[in-house]
Structure formats: structure tokens, C-alpha cells
Amino acid sequence: MVSVMRSCIQSILKLVNCLIGMVGIAMVLYSIWLIRVWEREMGGFPFFEDDDDFTPWFIYTFLGLGITLSVITCFGHIAAETANGCCLYLYMLFIFLLLMLEAGVTADVFLNRDWEEDFPKDPSGSSDQFTGFVRSNFELCKWIGLSIVSVQGLSFLVAMMLKAIGPHPSYDSDDDYASDRAPLLKDVVHPPPYVVGNPVMGSRNNAWSIRITKKMNQANR
């Protein structure tokens, strides 16, 4: 029963983790599209700008978040497959830090009316375009954001449940391997046990007596 429950929780964690990975890949693809737009308009890549005031921080941020989510997804798959305590603790730590970052940004946006002034000006204009899209489709973006946060919170809870159940017993004990090795020893002929003590000379004495008797019979003839 515990084994079936562990397998189900591992499958759920992998599924939820895949959703986080899809978000990360989408952010990386969007960042690549922004880089292509920058290259077409500016005639170069945004990674080689020496002027700090001309740095497209929005592209950097989106690309960094996408790569971070992708790395967390890979780490989560390893933790879900092995159910190792250390991997699960690190995965939960990453998810917790990500949730705290999102909560801080969300609180700043909703509680601070001048939140746009907290961010530097984006020379690529991508930040203004993204902000305009969110404002024009606020309900859609709100539900998308809530769904992403809910998936991350669910992955945290599922990882806690898997940590509480623990890894598969085969990772902790070698007793399960005895049944796998036993069939290899079925056809082995074991030698008879050795007895330590005085040798039994009964059979040799009987043979000697028979030979003496035969010689005496031949002599009498």
C-alpha cells in the first residue's frame, strides 16, 4: 500500500513539475524572440552593450527566470524519481524562495501605486509592451498568474508528502536483492560437510578381514 502511494505521489510531482518546466521554456522562448527583435532594430545582440543606461534589463530578467525555472524542473524530476531526502529538501527550498520572490513583487505592484518607478527604464521597450498587455488583459493574466503560483505551491506540498513517506526500501536495505540472487544458486551442488574427529575405519577393517579369510581358505586347500 505504501509503495503504491509513493508511486502515485511521485507521478503527481513529475506532472506538476512538468507544468513549471513548460512555464520556464515559454519564458526562454519569449526572451529569444525579444533578442531577435532587438537584433533586428539595433543591429546587434543585447549582451554586448557597454552603456549601463542602455542595458535591456527586461530581456535579461525574463531569460534568467526562464532558465531558473527550467533548472528547478530538472532538479525536481531527479528528486521525484529518487525520492532522496536531500534532493527533496533542496527542491522545496528553491520553490519556497521562488514563491517569496513572486509574493514580494506582487505585493509591491498592488500596494505601491508608483511601482513602475522602482524599475529602471527599459531601452528595448519590452517592459512597456508587457505592462500594456497585462493591463489590457488583466483578468486573463490574473488567472494565469494564480494558476502558476498554485502549481508551485502544489509542487511544494507534494514534495513534502513524498519526503514524509520516504524513499523506496530497496535504497536502504539489501534484503530485497537476496531473492534476485537465489535462482543463480539452485543448480549448485554443495560438497558434503566435513567432520572433524577420529576417522571411521570400519569399512577398511571389513575389507581387510575379507582378504585374510580368502587367503586362509586358499592355504587350507
Side-chain angles (χ1 to χ4, degrees):
M1 183 63 182
V2 176
S3 179
V4 174
M5 184 179 299
R6 183 188 298 105
S7 299
C8 293
I9 294 176
Q10 286 177 316
S11 300
I12 294 174
L13 183 57
K14 290 178 182 178
L15 177 61
V16 174
N17 204 41
C18 284
L19 297 177
I20 298 177
M22 291 174 62
V23 175
I25 293 174
M27 295 179 72
V28 171
L29 294 177
Y30 180 64
S31 302
I32 294 174
W33 179 77
L34 292 178
I35 292 172
R36 293 292 298 171
V37 173
W38 177 276
E39 181 187 7
R40 185 172 59 250
E41 294 180 355
M42 299 297 178
F45 288 98
F47 304 103
F48 305 104
E49 300 294 336
D50 297 331
D51 190 2
D52 294 338
D53 296 333
F54 206 65
T55 301
W57 62 267
F58 185 79
I59 299 177
Y60 292 167
T61 304
F62 238 76
L63 182 61
L65 288 176
I67 294 175
T68 301
L69 288 177
S70 300
V71 172
I72 292 176
T73 300
C74 295
F75 198 83
H77 269 77
I78 296 174
E81 182 67 26
T82 61
N84 182 269
C86 182
C87 294
L88 289 171
Y89 274 131
L90 289 176
Y91 177 71
M92 289 188 291
L93 177 62
F94 292 151
I95 295 296
F96 178 78
L97 294 177
L98 188 62
L99 289 173
M100 291 298 100
L101 177 62
E102 293 171 351
V105 174
T106 303
D108 182 64
V109 170
F110 280 96
L111 299 180
N112 185 10
R113 295 182 179 180
D114 300 329
W115 62 270
E116 294 182 359
E117 297 180 358
D118 296 337
F119 299 94
K121 183 174 177 58
D122 182 30
S124 65
S126 302
S127 177
D128 297 334
Q129 294 176 4
F130 184 77
T131 304
F133 176 80
V134 172
R135 287 177 175 174
S136 59
N137 302 275
F138 181 75
E139 290 296 325
L140 176 63
C141 294
K142 180 181 70 174
W143 287 110
I144 291 175
L146 289 175
S147 300
I148 293 174
V149 174
S150 300
V151 168
Q152 293 172 355
L154 180 61
S155 65
F156 185 85
L157 294 177
V158 174
M160 288 183 61
M161 294 173 61
L162 185 58
K163 177 64 181 67
I165 294 178
H168 196 275
S170 60
Y171 296 135
D172 298 331
S173 176
D174 293 335
D175 295 338
D176 295 338
Y177 294 101
S179 59
D180 297 335
R181 292 194 295 263
L184 299 176
L185 303 177
K186 286 184 177 179
D187 299 331
V188 177
V189 178
H190 297 281
Y194 294 96
V195 178
V196 179
N198 296 326
V200 180
M201 303 298 294
S203 59
R204 296 184 62 183
N205 292 334
N206 293 334
W208 181 259
S209 300
I210 293 172
R211 291 176 62 185
I212 294 298
T213 303
K214 287 182 177 180
K215 289 182 178 181
M216 290 178 64
N217 293 333
Q218 290 176 359
N220 293 330
R221 291 177 184 177

